[in-house]
Amino acid sequence: MSDEKNFKDLPAGKSISYQHLLFYLEQGREIEFVYKEKEYFISHSLEGRTVWNGQKRISEHFRDNDVSLLESTKIEGRTLADLLKQNEIKITAIF
């Protein structure tokens, strides 16, 4: 990510752009977000990144490919990338 200076804030409670979320993922951050009043979590472990809804894993593990995670993981038939681009995800925490 070349535009690091534009992503200094931690936008809890707000929508963020696809590029903004990708920046945080590339930093190794973990993200909590809400979509349609349901909480989700993007974890980062030795197995790779995955998306959770509570205790239920809703994506495969992705190692070193955050774009694939966003482009492949679907919630209610829509990719995370699409939901981000349409500003339908609200960030609740960034770790």
Side-chain angles (χ1 to χ4, degrees):
M1 231 23 343
S2 60
D3 230 358
E4 180 178 329
K5 66 182 179 278
N6 292 331
F7 301 137
K8 293 287 186 192
D9 63 320
L10 297 177
K14 300 179 183 177
S15 295
I16 63 174
S17 70
Y18 175 88
Q19 291 299 323
H20 200 160
L21 183 70
L22 192 57
F23 171 75
Y24 288 129
L25 295 176
E26 288 172 351
Q27 286 185 323
R29 305 276 191 131
E30 295 184 316
I31 314 287
E32 287 183 355
F33 65 92
V34 172
Y35 172 65
K36 289 189 175 180
E37 299 182 20
K38 294 181 183 174
E39 292 185 352
Y40 298 87
F41 180 63
I42 302 174
S43 67
H44 189 202
S45 67
L46 294 176
E47 296 172 297
R49 287 200 177 277
T50 194
V51 181
W52 300 84
N53 177 231
Q55 298 292 319
K56 181 180 179 187
R57 184 169 53 93
I58 63 168
S59 76
E60 298 300 317
H61 287 95
F62 290 85
R63 295 182 70 79
D64 304 320
N65 197 336
D66 298 321
V67 171
S68 289
L69 172 79
L70 298 176
E71 297 288 339
S72 299
T73 303
K74 291 186 178 183
I75 298 174
E76 296 184 12
R78 296 179 60 199
T79 66
L80 285 179
D82 181 51
L83 294 173
L84 283 161
K85 291 172 184 175
Q86 299 301 316
N87 294 319
E88 295 185 42
I89 287 176
K90 300 283 187 227
I91 302 301
T92 54
I94 298 173
F95 303 99

